[in-house]
Structure formats: structure tokens, C-alpha cells
Amino acid sequence: VISLERVKTGIPGFDELIEGGIPKGFNILLVGQPGTGKTSFGLQYLVNGAMNGENGIYVSLDSPNELVKAQARQFGWDVDALEKEGKITFLKIPLDKPKINLFDMLEEEIKAAHAERLVFDSLADFAINIDQFATPLAYTGLTPLWDVKEQATLEADKEYRYETMATLDQDPKGRIFYKGHSEKRVAYLVVQELAKLGTTNMILTDAKDEEHANTVDGVSEYVCDGVVVVYNQLIGAKRVRTMTVLKMRSSDHSKYIHDFEITKEGIKVKPAEEVYK
Ligand SMILES: Nc1ncnc2c1ncn2[C@@H]1O[C@H](COP(=O)(O)OP(=O)(O)OP(=O)(O)O)[C@@H](O)[C@H]1O
Ligand SMILES: [Mg+2]
């Protein structure tokens, strides 16, 4: 058995649930309803990495960098120093500018920062703002992307798309973009593109409902390598934070629901034994 290299999240109680850490290069989806701790989880993953020699990038689509950093400071993490030392890069995607070439931007930032970890906050925000992005199709030239004639030339293909789709574009690297993807297709493509970056990614997204692990797009949970679900369950008159590892490819992961806390020091996951004692 070839052992996988694992990236420790450093989140107390969490790495034990997944055989010591996230397999390097994996896309981990962190799904949860509002306020379930997704951003905190992502920040802690980057801060722990940064303090142990692995640089990271926090990609925020919604919150300004200042807000994200303020949240981290509340946990006592000196993100200002880490940022100054180049160990964490906070990247706010400017959603007011059209045709954002997100993946080229990420590629450049990762290279410049020598980043090994990336947090994407969030996939749901990406889908909501889809019109601002040039959406990558990783177009290779001849692969029919939907029901186009086989062996269609790029030009013929392009015309066909112009006829059928409202907008179509090409980025400097020749990747074809168009608007009008279904939400499923958007999520699928973003996950594919994030996987190509070479970093170990934590992709945050919104849960569709309280009980289930389904994402709003309904597809990212299938295409990501691992899925962690965070809940804020109403039990009696109180909400209790719980999480579960729904899947982790190549890993013998915990199958339990674990209680966790968000304290002044960040997230702490409790072993299942404590819950089921
Ligand atoms: N410093 C802190 N100490 C204790 N609890 C905190 C602290 N900071 C945040 N929390 C708790 O964490 C919750 C929000 O966490 P977080 O922002 O990580 O969730 P989220 O899932 O990213 O939310 P959203 O859906 O808004 O993006 C807060 O509602 C609060 O209950
Ligand atoms: Mg958040």
C-alpha cells in the first residue's frame, strides 16, 4: 500500500477523523447552513498551515479581506503578521468587475505566494455571481461539451455556440467560456479547475437544507474528493454544533456525528465517544 501524503488541518480533534489529515492535493468540500462555522474552519486550516511552513490563500468572494481577518483576530490568530510574512494571502475577488478571469488569477497568486493550501469561500457565492466570471470549460479544441457534432472544428463549434448560447468568450489561454451554465455545471467546472491548481483545497459551500448533506448545487458533493458537513442542530431549545465526514476518498474516516465547539481559540472537535458515552 502506497501511503498518501496527508496535510494536517491542525484543527483539534479533526485530523484523527480522517487518518491524520487531508490527502495532499484533494478538494475538500465543507458544506453547511448559515453560521455553521465554515469560514472559521477554513481560517483555522490556513493559520495552522502557515505556522507550520505551509503557505495558504484565502479566497473570498463575499466578505472584504478586513472582515475575514477580523474574524481570525477574534480567535487570537495573528493574521496580520502571517500576512506580512507572506504566509497567508487574503484575496478578495472584485465582483464589481466583469469577466473576472478567476483561475488565471489564482494560478498567479499561488505561484507568487508559494501556497500549498487554498480556501475558497464560497462555491455558492461563485454561482450567485456567475455573470461576473469568465467560466472555464478547459476546452481542448475538439471535445464536444454538450450535444455538438463530433469533430466539430473550433470555429464551427464556436458559431454553433453563438447560435445557441447568448454569450461565448475565449480567454488568453484559449479556454472557452460562456454564460448560461446550469448551477450544476458551474459547480462541476469550478471544482475541476480548483483541482488543477495543485494546492490542497477547502471549498466552502451552502447546504440546501438543515437535515441533509446536499449542497445548493447538488453536484459538488459528488465531484469533490472529500465532504465534511457542519450542522447547527436544534435540539430542544438549543442549537448544537455537530459535524460529520460524509466522504474522504482513499481514507478510512469516521462515520460518526461529532460535536464541536467554536470557542475563543477556534474550532475543537470532540471524539464520538464523548457524544455517545
Ligand atoms: N470568536 C468567536 N468565539 C465564539 N464563537 C464564535 C466566534 N466567532 C464566531 N463564532 C461563532 O461562529 C459562528 C459563525 O461562524 P462562521 O462565520 O465561521 O460560519 P459560516 O458558516 O462561515 O457562516 P456564513 O454562512 O455566514 O458564511 C457565529 O455565528 C458564532 O456563533
Ligand atoms: Mg462564512
Side-chain angles (χ1 to χ4, degrees), residues 59-62 91-109 120 125-137 169-172 175-179 181 186 190 193:
V59 184
S60 176
L61 278 80
D62 180 52
L91 189 64
K92 168 74 176 82
I93 306 301
L95 294 171
D96 53 338
K97 292 188 189 128
K99 292 201 182 167
I100 303 161
N101 205 325
L102 179 66
F103 298 97
D104 282 352
M105 193 191 277
L106 294 184
E107 253 173 45
E108 281 160 27
E109 293 284 345
F120 191 77
D125 288 333
F126 184 93
I128 291 164
N129 295 288
I130 183 67
D131 286 349
Q132 296 307 95
F133 292 95
T135 313
L137 290 178
D169 232 319
Q170 206 169 341
D171 81 355
R175 290 181 295 202
I176 297 283
F177 304 109
Y178 74 94
K179 294 172 183 174
H181 287 302
V186 168
V190 174
E193 290 296 319

Side-chain angles (χ1 to χ4, degrees), residues 21-186:
I22 301 167
K24 199 173 174 176
F26 266 25
N27 268 332
I28 304 303
L29 191 74
L30 188 64
V31 193
Q33 290 229 306
T36 43
K38 303 180 293 294
T39 296
S40 309
F41 205 97
L43 281 170
Q44 199 160 346
Y45 166 65
L46 288 194
V47 167
N48 288 334
M51 295 196 302
N52 288 292
E54 285 186 19
N55 294 354
I57 300 199
Y58 197 96
V59 184
S60 176
L61 278 80
D62 180 52
S63 303
N65 291 340
E66 250 331 291
L67 255 166
V68 177
K69 282 191 266 181
Q71 190 168 343
R73 285 184 209 117
Q74 288 303 304
F75 293 122
W77 304 327
D78 195 354
V79 282
D80 301 286
L82 293 172
E83 188 182 33
K84 218 171 272 168
E85 292 161 18
K87 293 176 177 175
I88 299 185
T89 304
F90 290 92
L91 189 64
K92 168 74 176 82
I93 306 301
L95 294 171
D96 53 338
K97 292 188 189 128
K99 292 201 182 167
I100 303 161
N101 205 325
L102 179 66
F103 298 97
D104 282 352
M105 193 191 277
L106 294 184
E107 253 173 45
E108 281 160 27
E109 293 284 345
I110 287 167
K111 215 190 236 174
H114 303 285
E116 295 177 60
R117 302 180 178 212
L118 183 139
V119 172
F120 191 77
D121 190 359
S122 69
L123 197 54
D125 288 333
F126 184 93
I128 291 164
N129 295 288
I130 183 67
D131 286 349
Q132 296 307 95
F133 292 95
T135 313
L137 290 178
Y139 191 63
T140 52
L142 289 174
T143 318
L145 294 166
W146 65 89
D147 200 14
V148 271
K149 302 134 227 161
E150 255 180 273
Q151 303 301 314
T153 65
L154 180 61
E155 281 314 304
D157 199 351
K158 213 167 153 181
E159 266 165 41
Y160 177 81
R161 285 155 207 242
Y162 269 124
E163 281 168 23
T164 54
M165 295 284 157
T167 43
L168 174 77
D169 232 319
Q170 206 169 341
D171 81 355
K173 287 188 184 163
R175 290 181 295 202
I176 297 283
F177 304 109
Y178 74 94
K179 294 172 183 174
H181 287 302
S182 68
E183 199 176 348
K184 278 190 198 301
R185 183 89 178 133
V186 168

Side-chain angles (χ1 to χ4, degrees), residues 198-244:
T199 41
T200 305
N201 304 327
M202 203 173 269
I203 305 170
L204 319 187
T205 200
D206 299 350
K208 197 174 171 192
D209 55 51
E210 208 161 4
E211 278 168 74
H212 304 101
N214 301 332
T215 57
V216 282
D217 59 70
V219 74
S220 45
E221 58 270 47
Y222 294 96
V223 291
C224 283
D225 304 298
V227 179
V228 176
V229 194
V230 278
Y231 302 95
N232 200 2
Q233 277 180 301
L234 189 63
I235 298 176
K238 192 187 168 206
R239 289 199 180 271
V240 179
R241 295 189 189 282
T242 59
M243 68 159 67
T244 190

